[in-house]
Amino acid sequence: MNWSRPASIISRRWKGPWGLKHTLQAVALALSLVLAFSVFMVRDRRKILDRSNGCPFSAIFNFGDSNSDTGSKSAAFHRLPYPNGYSFFNKPSGRYCDGRDIIDFIAEKLELPYLDAYLDSIGTNFQHGANFAIGGSTIQPVDGRSSYIMSRLPRPEDFSKALYTLDIGQNDLHAWIKSMTEKQMLESIPSIITQFAHAVEKLYQLGARIFWIHNTGPIGCLPYDVIYYPPKPGDKGQNGCVKSHNEIAQEFNRQLKDKVSQLRKQLPDAVLTCTDIYTAKYSLISEAKKQGFADPLGYCCGYYGDYRVPCGKNSMVNGTEISGDPCSNPELYISWDGIHYSQAANQIIANRILDGFLSDPATPIIEACHKPVPLSK
């Protein structure tokens, strides 16, 4: 079989900065994801299950339409409602069926788990394969029948005019806190800053031109951080935050700002705005009571202590049920769940950054497409 065929499904309507020269087979969006199949193939091969008198299949990779879709279209466009799924799953399962599809029975016969849809990113496990099928897929090139789906996809001409927002880095620093010394963390920052720059360069190559980049926030002020990494003597900063962790975030931000300045020279057609989220968040924490919040290091949902109960979950500890249910007044908390900010806090932070006073250059977001005018000498 000629496996180059899926590439031909891409339509001639898709041209422009992304360099795609053919039309996407509308509802066959997942078939183009055949490229993602390589992600699984490059991984180290697992030990193959030993089954006598049969082929030792350890995984299934399925391609198809709604007859074998196990959730891709539901995840990408709209959730399939009840009564789909009611005969077996007792709830909608992303299948156009009251229960299991044929692909499910194939998996059962091979003693493998049901295939997760590749486009469904919630709670998925691809160790035993993946399902690239999506409802409405066809083999032939797209025509007017797929106009409904095409109307929901981005227009190629919009890619170069879109705003590309990047808000990332906090998880990298948190992972380091668990496994590195502070010296090692500081030495590792240049590496991830370089990787970040490569990502921006790649987006630029694909047609992106307008970037709105957030630095990272004061991780030492997250309730989770303060509870599980309490500041040592001399390391307790203003507001009770872990001072050393905030200093690491500040060094990350300094290097990020320098790298963005370099990118402006490397990518002449790009407009890059670097926004100081750190200052917006830290100033809010510092004036929590003035803004109507309770304890700046408190949180509304979940439970932290000798054990952790995630937000919205319950856990039995020594015969006692510990609740992770949310509080009744989240508007009084800066932190929602000990790691993420509440809506009330996010609204204030957003108001502080959108006008551009905390950005470099000082440009409001509604004008972020314009390059700053050079100051006259």
Side-chain angles (χ1 to χ4, degrees):
M1 181 176 289
N2 182 3
W3 287 100
S4 65
R5 176 58 179 168
S8 68
I9 293 176
I10 302 175
S11 129
R12 284 182 280 280
R13 296 184 194 171
W14 275 65
K15 298 180 180 179
W18 295 94
L20 298 177
K21 298 181 180 180
H22 304 286
T23 327
L24 184 59
Q25 172 58 43
V27 284
L29 180 60
L31 287 182
S32 68
L33 290 174
V34 67
L35 297 176
F37 179 69
S38 60
V39 173
F40 299 96
M41 301 305 292
V42 298
R43 295 182 60 184
D44 292 337
R45 298 186 182 278
R46 302 184 302 109
K47 291 183 179 179
I48 298 177
L49 300 177
D50 180 19
R51 296 191 182 97
S52 59
N53 301 321
C55 299
F57 296 118
S58 58
I60 303 172
F61 294 95
N62 181 64
F63 301 87
D65 52 28
S66 58
N67 288 315
S68 59
D69 185 351
T70 57
S72 283
K73 188 172 183 181
S74 185
F77 297 108
H78 56 81
R79 291 289 176 184
L80 294 181
Y82 189 85
N84 286 292
Y86 88 98
S87 291
F88 184 79
F89 298 100
N90 298 316
K91 62 180 180 180
S93 63
R95 294 161 173 80
Y96 288 83
C97 179
D98 65 302
R100 291 162 288 180
D101 286 335
I102 292 174
I103 190 65
D104 295 314
F105 290 105
I106 291 175
E108 288 183 1
K109 183 65 176 180
L110 297 177
E111 299 180 8
L112 293 173
Y114 299 136
L115 292 182
D116 283 331
Y118 184 74
L119 291 182
D120 189 352
S121 61
I122 300 176
T124 49
N125 186 335
F126 300 122
Q127 285 189 335
H128 297 284
N131 192 357
F132 294 90
I134 184 169
S137 295
T138 61
I139 298 174
Q140 63 181 340
V142 72
D143 56 25
R145 289 175 296 174
S146 66
S147 59
Y148 168 75
I149 298 300
M150 292 300 292
S151 68
R152 293 184 168 214
L153 297 175
R155 297 178 301 175
E157 61 268 25
D158 288 337
F159 289 131
S160 63
K161 297 183 290 185
L163 179 66
Y164 292 79
T165 58
L166 295 90
D167 186 332
I168 199 166
Q170 176 176 308
N171 289 336
D172 298 87
L173 301 185
H174 258 300
W176 288 351
I177 289 173
K178 298 177 181 178
S179 60
M180 294 184 180
T181 64
E182 292 175 14
K183 181 176 182 295
Q184 290 173 325
M185 292 172 67
L186 291 171
E187 291 173 346
S188 300
I189 289 176
S191 174
I192 59 172
I193 294 295
T194 298
Q195 292 179 57
F196 178 89
H198 289 334
V200 173
E201 291 167 357
K202 183 63 176 178
L203 287 170
Y204 181 85
Q205 293 168 7
L206 293 172
R209 291 295 181 268
I210 308 164
F211 299 87
W212 180 273
I213 299 170
H214 294 174
N215 63 16
T216 198
I219 59 174
C221 294
L222 297 176
Y224 174 93
D225 202 67
V226 175
I227 293 170
Y228 288 113
Y229 306 96
K232 299 175 183 178
D235 193 29
K236 189 173 184 178
Q238 184 181 358
N239 306 312
C241 304
V242 184
K243 182 179 178 182
S244 59
H245 291 180
N246 281 346
E247 290 173 346
I248 290 169
Q250 289 173 318
E251 177 59 21
F252 171 91
N253 292 339
R254 185 190 68 78
Q255 294 189 33
L256 175 65
K257 186 176 181 180
D258 289 345
K259 181 60 71 173
V260 171
S261 295
Q262 295 175 23
L263 287 171
R264 291 193 183 103
K265 299 175 182 178
Q266 295 174 220
L267 312 176
D269 295 329
V271 183
L272 297 104
T273 304
C274 192
T275 302
D276 190 3
I277 284 287
Y278 184 99
T279 294
K281 290 182 175 179
Y282 191 81
S283 61
L284 174 59
I285 293 169
S286 298
E287 55 186 37
K289 292 185 178 179
K290 178 181 177 181
Q291 294 291 336
F293 292 101
D295 178 5
L297 301 182
Y299 58 94
C300 173
C301 193
Y303 179 84
Y304 296 96
D306 294 336
Y307 39 85
R308 179 184 176 188
V309 180
C311 177
K313 303 289 185 180
N314 293 321
S315 180
M316 294 297 295
V317 178
N318 298 325
T320 301
E321 185 177 49
I322 305 299
S323 173
D325 290 342
C327 63
S328 59
N329 49 358
E331 69 279 1
L332 298 182
Y333 291 87
I334 290 178
S335 179
W336 164 243
D337 59 2
I339 298 175
H340 308 97
Y341 286 71
S342 67
Q343 174 184 248
N346 282 332
Q347 183 174 12
I348 293 175
I349 294 165
N351 289 339
R352 292 183 176 184
I353 66 169
L354 296 179
D355 58 14
F357 289 115
L358 292 178
S359 295
D360 176 32
T363 304
I365 195 167
I366 61 173
E367 299 177 10
C369 63
H370 303 302
K371 283 195 171 187
V373 178
L375 297 176
S376 57
K377 296 182 179 179

